[in-house]
Amino acid sequence: MSRLIGLEESWKQKNTSKLYASSWAAIYFLMDSSQGRLLLKNIMLAEQESPCNKLQPKQLKNMLYLQFPDFNKLYSERLKTTFKAHNF
């Protein structure tokens, strides 16, 4: 997920299916725990503070690693588990 942050230009390319899949995998990871849901809430609140400006990649990464200091390991482990459907 940390590689997804700041890839705005990549979304303008024609083949975005991998980006969408990676984005949904990240959202599923975050929505699967109270810690992840809190991070999403904090991101949305931070974005509301200045609606005309997007958060900078550094800000998002700081928020991510503050909430999940061992994020890369946790996320890699999660990607190896069986997919489970969510009802959001």
Side-chain angles (χ1 to χ4, degrees):
M1 184 162 81
S2 60
R3 290 191 318 211
L4 286 173
I5 297 172
L7 289 179
E8 183 176 334
E9 293 301 314
S10 297
W11 285 96
K12 295 177 184 177
Q13 297 173 358
K14 293 181 182 180
N15 186 5
T16 57
S17 60
K18 286 185 181 182
L19 290 171
Y20 278 108
S22 296
S23 296
W24 275 111
I27 293 298
Y28 272 72
F29 171 82
L30 294 174
M31 290 298 291
D32 201 37
S33 70
S34 58
Q35 189 177 3
R37 289 188 296 274
L38 179 61
L39 174 60
L40 286 174
K41 176 184 172 184
N42 289 337
I43 290 171
M44 288 187 268
L45 290 173
E47 288 181 338
Q48 288 177 8
E49 289 178 12
S50 187
C52 293
N53 298 315
K54 60 184 177 190
L55 294 176
Q56 295 300 309
K58 185 176 180 177
Q59 290 172 285
L60 289 169
K61 286 182 182 182
N62 286 341
M63 294 173 81
L64 173 66
Y65 289 108
L66 180 66
Q67 197 73 26
F68 291 96
D70 204 13
F71 173 76
N72 291 324
K73 180 182 176 198
L74 291 171
Y75 192 63
S76 292
E77 289 173 0
R78 171 59 192 259
L79 291 177
K80 295 174 187 173
T81 63
T82 305
F83 176 78
K84 93 177 174 187
H86 283 278
N87 291 320
F88 298 124

